[in-house]
Amino acid sequence: MIRYLLQGLNYTVFMVLVWYFSAAPAVEVLPRDQAVLTMAFSHAGELREPCRELSREELDALAKNMQVSTDCPRARSDIVIQASLDDRLLVNDTLKPPGLFDDGGVDVYRSMRVDAGSHILEVRMSDSVQQPGFRHSLRQSVEFAPGQVVLLRFDQESGFFIQD
Amino acid sequence: MVVNPLKRAYLALESWFNLSFGSHWNPLYHLGTLSFFLFWVIGITGIYLFIPFHGSLDGAWASVEYMTHDQWYAAGVMRSLHRYASDAVVVTVLLHMFREFASGRYRGFRWFSWVTGVPTLWLLITLGITGYWLVWDQMAQYVALGSARLMDALPLLSGAMTRNFVAGEMTDRFFILIEFLHLLGLPLFLVVMLWIHVKRLSNVSINPPAGLAAGMFCALLALSLARPALSHAPADLSTVPFILNLDWYYLNVYPLLDTWTAGKTWLLTSSVTVIIMLLPWVPPRAREKAAVVDLDNCNGCGLCFNDCPFDAITVQARTDGARYDKEVVVDPSLCASCGICVGSCPASNPFRKASATLHTGIDMPHMRADRLRTLVREAAGALEGDSGVLVFSCEHGVYTEEMNVDDTRTIGLTCIGMLPPTMVEYALKHGARGVLIAGCREGDCFYRFGNQWTRNRFAGERNPILRARVDRRRVLIDGGAPVDGPGLARRLESFRSELRTLEGSGDAGDGVVAEESGAPT
C-alpha cells in the first residue's frame, strides 16, 4: 500500500513537472507599449553592366546557333537599404544578389520593435551601380498601435508603400 | 571507491524509484520503452485528432477550439493527452540521456546508440514544433516566424521563407505542407531513426511493464482532465502577441531569437549538438579486446549468439570442415567485451579434462576461462573457516575488494554473466562453503542481460544451467551499485550465518550432491 502511495506521489511530481513547463514561465514577446515595423519584399537590382552590341568579329567567333547580337552580363547590382524612424537610423544594409552569377532577386525581411505612437518613417533604396543614389524612397508619418505590425512593402510599379 | 557526484545523484534517484516502484517497475530502467509507449499515445491520439481537424487558415484554430471546449470529454481529452504525452516524452528522453551519461553507458561500443540518439532527439523536437504550427494560434504564429527566420539563415534560402509569414501572403497550402511533415514525413523519419538507434542491440524491448504503462497513462489522463491543454488567441499576422505561455520542452530556442540573430542561435544549438555527440570519445579511452572464437572447441550450438546483448555474434555455416554444421563469428566492432558469451559457452565447463589448459569455444583475451578457473581454484582453496564464501563480483557493481579477508575471497568479473554456472560448482568442489554472485542492481545491468541470464541459468530456465545437484542454499545471487557496499556486506553476513547453520546441522558436504554417474572430478 505504501508503495502504491509512493508511486502516486512520483506520478504527481512528474505530471506537475510536465504540466508546468508545458506552458510556463510565460515569455514577454513584446512590451505592451511597443509595435513592430516589418520590411518584407523581394527586389532584383539593376544589371551591373548595360547590354552591349557584339561586333561582327565577335559574332563570327560564335557558333551559328549561339549568335545573339547583344551580350547582357547577368550580374545585378547590390541593393542598399536605409530606413529611419524620426531621423534615427534603424536599417542600413547592403544586400548582395544571391545566385552563382549574382543574378538573383534579393529577399528582404527586416523586423524591428518601435515605440507605439506616431512616427516619421523614411526609407530609401539604391539598386543600380549605373545610376548611383537612392532611386526609391518614401517618407511618411505612420501611426503604430501597441502590438501592431506595420508592414512596409515595395513593388516596381508603386515603389515603397505601407500595406493596409 | 570514489563515485562521481553525477553518478551518485543518479543512483540516489534510482534508489528512490526502487523504493517506490520496485526494480521491475522502476521507470529509470524503462525510459526507452516508456518513450516508445508515449509515442503510441501520441500516435493514437494524433490520428483521432486529425479527423475533426480543419487544415486551413480559417478553420484550424476554430476546429481545435471546438475539440477543446465543445467536445472536451472526447477530442478535448485526446488533445490534452496528445500534448502532455508529447511533453512527457521529452522528459523521458532527456532522463534516458542523463542516465546513460551518468552511468557511463555512452562510451566505447555504445557510441553508436549515443550518436544516433542525439539527432533523434532533435527530430522529436522538430516533430513537436510542427505540431504547434497546426493549431494556428498566436504561439503558432510566433513559432512559424521564428522557424522561418532560422531556415532563412541557412545558405540556400536567404530570406525567402520569412516573407511568407506576413499579412496577406499566407494561403491554405501552408497547412498541406505542415500536415505532411507532422503527420507523415517526420513520424516516418523518426521511426527510421529509432530503428537505427537500437540497431546494435539484441532482444530489444519496446514495451514497458504493463503496470508502469498503465500508471503513466492514468497519470496523463488525470493531468488532461485537471489541466486541459488550451490554445492562445487565433493567429493574426498583423499583430504581435505581448505574452505567450511557451511550451519549454519544444520551443526553448525561440526566445533566443528575440535577442540573438538566427545565425548565432544556429551556432549555439549546432555547437551543443556536436559537443554532445563527441562525448563518447572525450577523453579517448582504449577498448577491451573483443571475444575470440576457438573453432576447435566450438560446436556451433549458438548459445552465445542467443545471449549476446549487443548482436555482436552471428551463426554461420562451418568453414573448417569439422563435423558440426555451424560455427559462430564475432564482429569485433560490435563486441562489448562483457564476456557473457563465455558464461553461455558449454565448453567453459571447468571440469573438462581434455587438456591441462581450459580451452573454451569463445573466450575473452582479458580474462580467459582458464585463468578464471585457476583464480577460482586458488581462491576457494585459500578460504578458511566453516563459512568461507567466494564472491564473484561485477566490476560495475558493488566494490567488493575490501571484503577480501580470510573467510571471503573475491574475484572480479567484467560482468557476472561471464560466469559459467559450472564454475560455481567448481568453486564449491574446491573448498568454498558458499558462493555469492554480486552483479549490478537488479534491473540495471551494465551489459543489459548479465543479471537476468545468470538468474535464468541458475534457475534452470536458460542454458547452460546450474546443475540440479548443486545445493542452492550455498549460492546467493545478489548485487548493487558501487554505493551499495554496506547493504551487500550485511546480506553477506546473513548468508554466512545460514552457511554456518548448514554446517552445524550436519549438512556439511561440498554443496554438490554426487550423482550415480558423471560426477565431477
Side-chain angles (χ1 to χ4, degrees):
Chain A
M1 186 60 191
I2 290 176
R3 178 164 276 185
Y4 284 116
L5 287 174
L6 288 176
Q7 287 179 22
L9 175 68
N10 283 309
Y11 281 124
T12 305
V13 170
F14 184 65
M15 287 304 141
V16 166
L17 182 78
V18 166
W19 164 73
Y20 182 75
F21 288 108
S22 76
V27 172
E28 184 184 54
V29 178
L30 188 72
R32 292 191 179 275
D33 59 350
Q34 291 197 338
V36 169
L37 170 63
T38 296
M39 190 187 292
F41 57 88
S42 180
H43 178 60
E46 295 295 312
L47 293 172
R48 277 184 206 162
E49 296 170 35
C51 295
R52 178 176 68 85
E53 289 287 330
L54 294 182
S55 66
R56 188 68 254 164
E57 292 73 26
E58 285 174 315
L59 281 172
D60 289 344
L62 296 171
K64 283 209 181 303
N65 63 327
M66 300 290 283
Q67 289 180 353
V68 182
S69 59
T70 53
D71 172 30
C72 294
R74 293 166 60 176
R76 293 185 176 275
S77 305
D78 293 352
I79 285 181
V80 180
I81 298 177
Q82 293 179 348
S84 57
L85 207 63
D86 302 328
D87 294 327
R88 185 167 57 89
L89 195 62
L90 295 178
V91 176
N92 184 10
D93 288 344
T94 300
L95 304 170
K96 297 204 169 295
L100 290 175
F101 300 98
D102 293 344
D103 58 344
V106 173
D107 285 300
V108 179
Y109 182 88
R110 296 286 183 278
S111 192
M112 59 222 93
R113 296 174 182 187
V114 299
D115 291 335
S118 183
H119 297 283
I120 301 294
L121 171 68
E122 184 168 12
V123 59
R124 49 193 190 164
M125 178 168 70
S126 161
D127 63 352
S128 172
V129 292
Q130 294 182 60
Q131 299 174 55
F134 293 96
R135 300 200 304 148
H136 311 282
S137 63
L138 173 77
R139 184 178 171 85
Q140 184 177 326
S141 173
V142 183
E143 184 67 31
F144 290 85
Q148 183 191 1
V149 178
V150 172
L151 190 57
L152 176 66
R153 314 216 64 170
F154 175 87
D155 66 39
Q156 200 64 43
E157 288 76 34
S158 319
F160 283 108
F161 63 96
I162 302 290
Q163 181 170 299
D164 293 329
Chain B
M1 187 185 191
V2 179
V3 180
N4 74 60
L6 196 65
K7 186 166 186 176
R8 196 171 279 278
Y10 164 71
L11 290 173
L13 188 65
E14 191 181 85
S15 300
W16 165 250
F17 281 131
N18 271 331
L19 184 70
S20 310
F21 291 88
S23 62
H24 182 58
W25 281 8
N26 186 331
L28 291 180
Y29 300 158
H30 301 283
L31 289 167
T33 54
L34 266 181
S35 302
F36 271 101
F37 171 72
L38 290 168
F39 282 135
W40 280 111
V41 175
I42 295 164
I44 291 167
T45 53
I47 289 168
Y48 184 94
L49 293 172
F50 183 56
I51 297 166
F53 178 71
H54 285 236
S56 65
L57 279 177
D58 295 329
W61 184 84
S63 64
V64 175
E65 283 297 284
Y66 170 77
M67 290 183 236
T68 306
H69 299 293
D70 296 357
Q71 226 193 62
W72 64 268
Y73 48 87
V77 171
M78 286 292 197
R79 181 198 179 187
S80 298
L81 279 172
H82 191 71
R83 163 83 169 270
Y84 292 132
S86 305
D87 289 330
V89 80
V90 175
V91 180
T92 55
V93 168
L94 289 177
L95 277 173
H96 181 52
M97 281 182 80
F98 170 71
R99 173 179 187 258
E100 304 305 298
F101 182 74
S103 55
R105 295 173 199 190
Y106 63 100
R107 299 178 62 95
F109 61 95
R110 283 190 164 104
W111 72 267
F112 183 82
S113 302
W114 179 266
V115 168
T116 55
V118 178
T120 306
L121 174 58
W122 276 121
L123 192 59
L124 170 67
I125 299 289
T126 310
L127 181 60
I129 289 169
T130 53
Y132 274 112
W133 286 32
L134 285 175
V135 180
W136 204 230
D137 60 355
Q138 287 179 327
M139 186 151 74
Q141 172 186 337
Y142 176 72
V143 170
L145 261 170
S147 304
R149 278 182 61 198
L150 285 169
M151 297 308 290
D152 282 344
L154 298 174
L156 286 177
L157 293 167
S158 71
M161 191 168 169
T162 320
R163 283 196 303 107
N164 290 314
F165 296 102
V166 296
E169 288 283 335
M170 282 194 65
T171 68
D172 289 346
R173 287 196 297 173
F174 161 76
F175 281 92
I176 296 172
L177 169 69
I178 299 302
E179 280 175 340
F180 170 75
L181 284 175
H182 188 70
L183 300 170
L184 189 64
L186 291 172
L188 275 181
F189 198 15
L190 186 62
V191 168
V192 171
M193 284 302 292
L194 288 170
W195 174 73
I196 293 171
H197 182 58
V198 298
K199 184 80 180 67
R200 291 193 170 190
L201 302 177
S202 64
N203 297 300
V204 176
S205 170
I206 59 169
N207 296 316
L212 187 60
M216 179 63 83
F217 183 79
C218 290
L220 284 170
L221 188 61
L223 176 60
S224 300
L225 291 169
R227 288 279 183 270
L230 300 172
S231 306
H232 287 77
D236 176 5
L237 293 168
S238 65
T239 63
V240 174
F242 295 119
I243 301 283
L244 285 178
N245 297 313
L246 222 53
D247 182 336
W248 288 89
Y249 295 109
Y250 286 94
L251 310 177
N252 48 62
V253 165
Y254 291 89
L256 277 180
L257 289 167
D258 292 336
T259 45
W260 282 16
T261 62
K264 221 183 204 181
T265 308
W266 272 119
L267 186 66
L268 175 75
T269 49
S270 51
S271 302
V272 170
T273 304
V274 169
I275 289 169
I276 292 173
M277 287 173 84
L278 288 176
L279 284 176
W281 295 278
V282 182
R285 202 180 291 171
R287 281 174 68 169
E288 290 284 5
K289 287 186 178 160
V292 179
V293 177
D294 177 0
L295 283 184
D296 290 342
N297 289 281
C298 170
N299 64 8
C301 68
L303 291 184
C304 54
F305 163 77
N306 293 338
D307 283 2
C308 177
F310 301 102
D311 238 357
I313 297 174
T314 47
V315 180
Q316 67 178 28
R318 202 79 193 184
T319 58
D320 62 350
R323 63 192 171 91
Y324 306 108
D325 292 337
K326 305 285 184 188
E327 66 182 27
V328 296
V329 182
V330 175
D331 181 343
S333 68
L334 303 180
C335 180
S337 310
C338 60
I340 287 178
C341 50
V342 180
S344 68
C345 182
S348 300
N349 184 342
F351 294 109
R352 290 177 70 209
K353 296 178 69 179
S355 67
T357 306
L358 174 60
H359 294 290
T360 182
I362 188 164
D363 216 344
M364 300 311 303
H366 68 275
M367 172 65 108
R368 293 199 172 271
D370 185 62
R371 167 81 182 137
L372 179 59
R373 181 172 71 169
T374 305
L375 287 175
V376 170
R377 195 169 53 237
E378 290 172 358
L383 284 170
E384 295 173 5
D386 57 0
S387 60
V389 175
L390 181 59
V391 180
F392 292 100
S393 64
C394 165
E395 66 181 29
H396 299 281
V398 177
Y399 185 66
T400 55
E401 193 64 29
E402 57 209 24
M403 295 176 180
N404 232 340
V405 289
D406 294 342
D407 59 355
T408 310
R409 286 286 186 275
T410 63
I411 295 177
L413 300 172
T414 315
C415 172
I416 60 161
M418 88 181 281
L419 184 68
T422 40
M423 202 63 85
V424 171
E425 197 175 330
Y426 189 79
L428 293 171
K429 197 76 185 161
H430 282 79
R433 310 314 296 166
V435 171
L436 166 62
I437 297 153
C440 299
R441 276 183 179 173
E442 196 56 43
D444 191 34
C445 174
F446 189 85
Y447 294 106
R448 302 183 67 221
F449 298 127
N451 285 357
Q452 189 181 334
W453 291 172
T454 301
R455 282 192 186 280
N456 291 159
R457 289 168 188 166
F458 282 50
E461 297 162 357
R462 189 178 189 89
N463 280 322
I465 61 168
L466 180 66
R467 288 185 274 200
R469 60 190 176 190
V470 176
D471 187 351
R472 263 51 182 184
R473 293 172 298 177
R474 295 182 180 276
V475 181
L476 174 65
I477 302 178
D478 205 301
V483 295
D484 297 336
L488 185 70
R490 279 195 301 277
R491 292 191 293 277
L492 174 60
E493 266 321 298
S494 163
F495 179 49
R496 211 188 294 284
S497 72
E498 285 171 23
L499 291 175
R500 283 192 207 101
T501 310
L502 275 180
E503 300 290 328
S505 66
D507 198 359
D510 56 10
V512 179
V513 181
E515 290 175 351
E516 286 183 1
S517 60
T521 52

